[in-house]
Amino acid sequence: MKSPISILLVYSCLFTACSTDDPDFILDETEDGEELIVVGPCGDKDYDIGTLLCTPTLSNEELEVVTWNIERFPLDDETSNKVAAIISDLDADIYALQEISDVDAFTSLVNAIEGYEGMVVDVRGSIELAFIYKNSAITSISSPMLLFSGETTPFPREPVELDITHSNGLTVKLINIHLKCCDGSENRRTAASNRLKDYIEDNHSDEDVIILGDWNEDFDKGSSFSNFILDSQNFAFVDLPIYQGDGENYSYPCTGASYCPSHIDHILITDELCDNLTATYTVRLDDCVSNYLTEVSDHRPVMVSLKADD
């Protein structure tokens, strides 16, 4: 049974011109003191950017992909009911989830959401990666594949790759990740980012790929993900304009620490998907779901919408 959730949709900003006065990104400074400017996502393409509160009306014609760290699921006795209601009401097509601590509880969760199926993947730890997807929208889905399994890698949990096809005909490769957290792990995150980029270039250089999840770092100067940011001809962090905002739409709305709030949940696409890009949002569930941060998660979901090929 789903718990009641208020229904409200707010677009805090439409189009890149509203989200930031300068869509380009200053990554760092060169040795002579000049700023190194990186072009905005997909060549400053116009797409909707903003905030969704709870339950929008999403298009059946577009593929909606969500990344969501649901913090050691389930946190509380009410967690499963609330997550089931959120997924059902948000009505996105596929959710890439991080931090599944109780696999049996996850199975019960999926069974409670009408029209959805799911899978959880053992990724070398007690907090697993998972997917939940809508049957009517995802017309095919591959078996999950662990990347870099058996290797000595900087990943604390193996990335999980799978292919999906949407009812609009768009086929996309998803790679769900959860990188090493916290200060002092920048070198591991940099190495992980380099390993991911090499993997895409070696194996899927001309394909529609989305890498999404909890990257555990924002886009500050000296970012561990500068390899992707600098290669704006081939890759785009579509949530970069959210980071350039005032912090209200950041994915990690923590308080009381120097790093709060932070935007650490990202969606990276290959350039082949730039023409399909229509929107990127943070879903600010803590504004309309009671006790969200203590009973559901300390992270907000981040979503991208993609239209069919022209």
Side-chain angles (χ1 to χ4, degrees), residues 118-131:
M119 61 181 76
V120 63
V121 185
D122 183 351
V123 288
R124 200 172 55 195
S126 60
I127 48 176
E128 315 297 358
L129 300 179
F131 295 90

Side-chain angles (χ1 to χ4, degrees), residues 212-229:
L212 73 172
D214 181 356
W215 297 65
N216 262 315
E217 187 175 317
D218 61 23
F219 297 120
D220 203 353
K221 290 183 178 181
S223 170
S224 298
F225 320 127
S226 61
N227 60 327
F228 285 116
I229 296 170

Side-chain angles (χ1 to χ4, degrees), residues 55-95:
T55 51
T57 301
L58 301 179
S59 171
N60 291 330
E61 303 303 316
E62 295 184 358
L63 167 63
E64 294 103 10
V65 182
V66 175
T67 181
W68 188 12
N69 181 324
I70 52 173
E71 196 190 358
R72 302 190 311 276
F73 174 86
L75 277 180
D76 183 88
D77 290 343
E78 293 300 315
T79 303
S80 290
N81 287 338
K82 290 190 174 184
V83 171
I86 289 166
I87 289 176
S88 179
D89 291 342
L90 182 58
D91 198 35
D93 298 321
I94 186 163
Y95 300 79

Side-chain angles (χ1 to χ4, degrees), residues 40-42 228 231-232 234-239 267-271 274:
C42 291
F228 285 116
D231 190 1
S232 57
N234 295 298
F235 298 93
F237 279 107
V238 297
D239 61 300
I267 299 178
L268 176 75
I269 67 172
T270 53
D271 65 294
C274 281

Side-chain angles (χ1 to χ4, degrees), residues 278-293:
T278 64
T280 304
Y281 299 110
T282 301
V283 190
R284 283 175 39 175
L285 295 168
D286 48 305
D287 285 348
C288 51
V289 178
S290 62
N291 301 317
Y292 174 83
L293 296 176

